Amino acid sequence: QVQLVESGGGSVQAGGSLRLSCAVTRYTVSRRCLGWFRQAPGKEREGVATIDNYGSTSVADSVKGRFTISKDNAKNTLYLQMNSLKPDDTAMYYCAAKPRRGRCLGASLYNYWGRGTQVTVSS
């Protein structure tokens, strides 16, 4: 089964930066879709960013200009660079994989999920 393990979360002050990593096994990151999602207490899961097999990315408006999704095919690792963090970014962040061909937008499309890494941003 595909496994994804997130790391890099932590606590930072507003304006700070964090880089999340997602180590992927039994799934080549050069395949169709990878994504980052987040969920804050009392809120629904929210898509953050996705990247497809061509390297094309999609970023949510709420984090556009601040977050960047990328991947390293050689390391089979997905990344999320988060800059200018805001308290509203506080959430559990999950990486996910969607191996099937097709569009990458939409959490319901993803079949495999990591356990998440907590990001807390204080004001």
Side-chain angles (χ1 to χ4, degrees):
Q1 185 178 356
V2 175
Q3 293 184 359
L4 304 96
V5 181
E6 304 93 338
S7 62
S11 298
V12 297
Q13 290 188 303
S17 299
L18 283 174
R19 188 192 191 196
L20 306 184
S21 297
C22 174
V24 183
T25 59
R26 288 181 282 278
Y27 183 93
T28 303
V29 298
S30 61
R31 292 177 68 184
R32 185 56 185 161
C33 306
L34 290 165
W36 285 100
F37 302 84
R38 66 185 183 185
Q39 186 167 24
K43 296 184 178 180
E44 294 184 354
R45 183 176 53 190
E46 175 188 20
V48 177
T50 63
I51 186 167
D52 71 8
N53 51 306
Y54 296 104
S56 180
T57 62
S58 180
V59 182
D61 289 341
S62 60
V63 303
K64 190 171 296 183
R66 300 187 298 117
F67 291 12
T68 302
I69 186 171
S70 64
K71 60 182 180 179
D72 186 325
N73 291 341
K75 294 182 178 180
N76 218 42
T77 302
L78 177 71
Y79 302 98
L80 183 67
Q81 179 65 48
M82 306 185 294
N83 298 326
S84 301
L85 284 161
K86 304 175 180 179
D88 285 348
D89 294 321
T90 295
M92 182 71 74
Y93 283 71
Y94 302 89
C95 62
K98 188 211 124 179
R100 293 178 63 85
R101 179 183 177 87
R103 60 191 180 90
C104 295
L105 275 61
S108 63
L109 300 175
Y110 288 75
N111 299 325
Y112 304 101
W113 295 80
R115 290 185 177 275
T117 185
Q118 180 67 41
V119 171
T120 302
V121 185
S122 60
S123 60

